[in-house]
Short mmCIF file of all heavy atoms in Angstrom, two decimals:
data_model
loop_
_atom_site.label_atom_id
_atom_site.label_comp_id
_atom_site.label_asym_id
_atom_site.label_seq_id
_atom_site.Cartn_x
_atom_site.Cartn_y
_atom_site.Cartn_z
N PHE A 10 199.10 206.07 2.85
CA PHE A 10 200.47 205.60 3.05
C PHE A 10 200.46 204.13 3.46
O PHE A 10 199.55 203.67 4.15
CB PHE A 10 201.18 206.44 4.11
CG PHE A 10 201.48 207.85 3.66
CD1 PHE A 10 200.56 208.87 3.82
CD2 PHE A 10 202.69 208.14 3.04
CE1 PHE A 10 200.82 210.16 3.40
CE2 PHE A 10 202.97 209.43 2.61
CZ PHE A 10 202.04 210.44 2.78
N VAL A 29 208.06 203.51 4.44
CA VAL A 29 206.69 203.98 4.28
C VAL A 29 206.61 204.60 2.88
O VAL A 29 207.56 205.26 2.44
CB VAL A 29 206.30 205.00 5.37
CG1 VAL A 29 207.19 206.22 5.36
CG2 VAL A 29 204.83 205.41 5.21
N PHE A 30 205.52 204.36 2.15
CA PHE A 30 205.44 204.85 0.79
C PHE A 30 204.01 205.20 0.41
O PHE A 30 203.05 204.78 1.06
CB PHE A 30 206.01 203.81 -0.19
CG PHE A 30 205.22 202.53 -0.27
CD1 PHE A 30 204.25 202.35 -1.26
CD2 PHE A 30 205.42 201.51 0.63
CE1 PHE A 30 203.53 201.17 -1.34
CE2 PHE A 30 204.70 200.32 0.56
CZ PHE A 30 203.75 200.15 -0.43
N THR A 31 203.90 205.97 -0.67
CA THR A 31 202.60 206.34 -1.21
C THR A 31 202.72 206.51 -2.71
O THR A 31 203.82 206.72 -3.24
CB THR A 31 202.07 207.64 -0.58
OG1 THR A 31 200.71 207.84 -0.99
CG2 THR A 31 202.88 208.85 -1.02
N LEU A 41 202.59 217.00 -4.75
CA LEU A 41 202.75 216.05 -3.66
C LEU A 41 204.20 215.59 -3.55
O LEU A 41 204.75 215.50 -2.44
CB LEU A 41 201.83 214.84 -3.88
CG LEU A 41 201.94 213.71 -2.85
CD1 LEU A 41 201.59 214.20 -1.45
CD2 LEU A 41 201.03 212.54 -3.25
N ASN A 42 204.82 215.31 -4.69
CA ASN A 42 206.22 214.88 -4.67
C ASN A 42 207.12 215.93 -4.03
O ASN A 42 208.02 215.61 -3.25
CB ASN A 42 206.68 214.59 -6.10
CG ASN A 42 208.08 214.03 -6.15
OD1 ASN A 42 208.40 213.00 -5.55
ND2 ASN A 42 208.95 214.71 -6.88
N ALA A 44 206.22 218.34 -1.89
CA ALA A 44 205.91 218.46 -0.46
C ALA A 44 206.54 217.32 0.33
O ALA A 44 207.13 217.53 1.40
CB ALA A 44 204.40 218.48 -0.25
N LEU A 45 206.45 216.10 -0.21
CA LEU A 45 207.05 214.96 0.48
C LEU A 45 208.56 215.01 0.44
O LEU A 45 209.24 214.59 1.38
CB LEU A 45 206.53 213.66 -0.15
CG LEU A 45 205.04 213.36 0.05
CD1 LEU A 45 204.65 212.10 -0.71
CD2 LEU A 45 204.71 213.21 1.53
N GLY A 46 209.12 215.53 -0.65
CA GLY A 46 210.57 215.64 -0.76
C GLY A 46 211.16 216.54 0.31
O GLY A 46 212.27 216.30 0.80
N ARG A 47 210.42 217.54 0.71
CA ARG A 47 210.93 218.46 1.74
C ARG A 47 210.90 217.85 3.13
O ARG A 47 211.49 218.38 4.06
CB ARG A 47 210.12 219.76 1.71
CG ARG A 47 210.33 220.56 0.42
CD ARG A 47 209.75 221.95 0.50
NE ARG A 47 209.94 222.64 -0.77
CZ ARG A 47 209.00 222.84 -1.67
NH1 ARG A 47 207.76 222.40 -1.44
NH2 ARG A 47 209.25 223.48 -2.80
N ILE A 48 210.21 216.71 3.28
CA ILE A 48 210.21 216.03 4.58
C ILE A 48 210.88 214.65 4.48
O ILE A 48 210.60 213.75 5.26
CB ILE A 48 208.79 215.91 5.17
CG1 ILE A 48 207.86 215.15 4.22
CG2 ILE A 48 208.24 217.28 5.52
CD1 ILE A 48 206.49 214.84 4.84
N GLY A 49 211.77 214.53 3.49
CA GLY A 49 212.63 213.36 3.46
C GLY A 49 212.24 212.21 2.57
O GLY A 49 212.91 211.17 2.59
N PHE A 50 211.20 212.37 1.76
CA PHE A 50 210.82 211.30 0.85
C PHE A 50 211.66 211.37 -0.42
O PHE A 50 212.16 212.43 -0.81
CB PHE A 50 209.34 211.40 0.47
CG PHE A 50 208.40 210.84 1.50
CD1 PHE A 50 208.13 211.53 2.68
CD2 PHE A 50 207.77 209.61 1.29
CE1 PHE A 50 207.26 211.02 3.63
CE2 PHE A 50 206.89 209.10 2.24
CZ PHE A 50 206.64 209.79 3.41
N ARG A 51 211.81 210.22 -1.08
CA ARG A 51 212.47 210.11 -2.37
C ARG A 51 211.48 209.51 -3.36
O ARG A 51 210.53 208.83 -2.96
CB ARG A 51 213.70 209.21 -2.28
CG ARG A 51 214.78 209.73 -1.35
CD ARG A 51 215.55 210.86 -1.98
NE ARG A 51 216.43 210.36 -3.04
CZ ARG A 51 217.02 211.16 -3.93
NH1 ARG A 51 216.80 212.46 -3.90
NH2 ARG A 51 217.83 210.65 -4.86
N ARG A 52 211.74 209.74 -4.66
CA ARG A 52 210.86 209.19 -5.69
C ARG A 52 211.50 208.00 -6.38
O ARG A 52 212.68 208.01 -6.71
CB ARG A 52 210.53 210.24 -6.75
CG ARG A 52 209.51 209.74 -7.78
CD ARG A 52 209.28 210.75 -8.90
NE ARG A 52 210.45 210.88 -9.77
CZ ARG A 52 210.74 210.04 -10.77
NH1 ARG A 52 209.95 209.00 -11.02
NH2 ARG A 52 211.81 210.22 -11.52
N ALA A 57 206.56 207.55 -3.89
CA ALA A 57 207.40 208.33 -2.98
C ALA A 57 207.57 207.51 -1.70
O ALA A 57 206.61 206.95 -1.18
CB ALA A 57 206.76 209.68 -2.66
N TYR A 58 208.80 207.42 -1.21
CA TYR A 58 209.09 206.56 -0.06
C TYR A 58 210.12 207.22 0.85
O TYR A 58 210.86 208.12 0.44
CB TYR A 58 209.63 205.21 -0.53
CG TYR A 58 211.01 205.31 -1.17
CD1 TYR A 58 212.17 205.13 -0.41
CD2 TYR A 58 211.15 205.63 -2.52
CE1 TYR A 58 213.43 205.26 -1.00
CE2 TYR A 58 212.40 205.76 -3.09
CZ TYR A 58 213.54 205.57 -2.33
OH TYR A 58 214.78 205.72 -2.90
N ARG A 59 210.16 206.75 2.09
CA ARG A 59 211.20 207.17 3.01
C ARG A 59 211.40 206.08 4.06
O ARG A 59 210.52 205.22 4.25
CB ARG A 59 210.86 208.49 3.70
CG ARG A 59 209.65 208.48 4.60
CD ARG A 59 209.57 209.74 5.44
NE ARG A 59 210.68 209.82 6.37
CZ ARG A 59 210.97 210.89 7.12
NH1 ARG A 59 210.22 211.97 7.03
NH2 ARG A 59 211.99 210.87 7.95
N PRO A 60 212.53 206.08 4.77
CA PRO A 60 212.76 205.07 5.80
C PRO A 60 211.73 205.18 6.92
O PRO A 60 211.28 206.27 7.27
CB PRO A 60 214.16 205.40 6.33
CG PRO A 60 214.79 206.23 5.27
CD PRO A 60 213.69 206.99 4.63
N SER A 70 218.22 212.43 5.21
CA SER A 70 218.12 213.17 3.95
C SER A 70 219.11 214.33 3.95
O SER A 70 219.21 215.06 4.95
CB SER A 70 216.70 213.72 3.76
OG SER A 70 215.77 212.67 3.63
N GLN A 169 212.57 220.31 -9.24
CA GLN A 169 211.55 220.81 -8.32
C GLN A 169 211.65 222.32 -8.25
O GLN A 169 212.58 222.93 -8.78
CB GLN A 169 211.77 220.18 -6.94
CG GLN A 169 211.73 218.66 -6.96
CD GLN A 169 212.07 218.02 -5.64
OE1 GLN A 169 212.03 216.79 -5.52
NE2 GLN A 169 212.44 218.81 -4.64
N SER A 174 216.70 217.13 -7.77
CA SER A 174 216.78 215.91 -6.97
C SER A 174 217.41 214.83 -7.85
O SER A 174 216.85 214.43 -8.87
CB SER A 174 215.39 215.47 -6.52
OG SER A 174 215.46 214.25 -5.81
N TYR A 211 219.37 217.90 -4.08
CA TYR A 211 219.05 216.82 -3.15
C TYR A 211 219.83 215.56 -3.54
O TYR A 211 219.73 215.09 -4.67
CB TYR A 211 217.55 216.54 -3.17
CG TYR A 211 216.71 217.63 -2.55
CD1 TYR A 211 216.35 218.77 -3.27
CD2 TYR A 211 216.28 217.53 -1.23
CE1 TYR A 211 215.59 219.78 -2.69
CE2 TYR A 211 215.51 218.53 -0.65
CZ TYR A 211 215.17 219.66 -1.38
OH TYR A 211 214.42 220.65 -0.80
N TYR A 214 219.85 209.91 0.64
CA TYR A 214 220.10 209.58 2.04
C TYR A 214 221.58 209.38 2.32
O TYR A 214 222.32 208.83 1.49
CB TYR A 214 219.32 208.32 2.44
CG TYR A 214 217.83 208.49 2.31
CD1 TYR A 214 217.12 207.83 1.31
CD2 TYR A 214 217.13 209.34 3.17
CE1 TYR A 214 215.75 208.00 1.17
CE2 TYR A 214 215.77 209.52 3.03
CZ TYR A 214 215.08 208.85 2.04
OH TYR A 214 213.73 209.03 1.90
N LEU A 234 218.19 216.76 7.20
CA LEU A 234 216.82 216.88 7.71
C LEU A 234 216.71 216.16 9.04
O LEU A 234 217.02 214.96 9.14
CB LEU A 234 215.83 216.28 6.71
CG LEU A 234 214.36 216.33 7.10
CD1 LEU A 234 213.89 217.77 7.25
CD2 LEU A 234 213.50 215.59 6.07
#
Side-chain angles (χ1 to χ4, degrees):
F10 290 88
V29 60
F30 65 95
T31 189
L41 177 60
N42 185 57
L45 293 176
R47 293 191 182 104
I48 58 172
F50 279 75
R51 298 283 288 166
R52 185 185 70 82
Y58 68 93
R59 64 168 295 171
S70 295
Q169 302 175 178
S174 177
Y211 289 83
Y214 298 109
L234 180 62

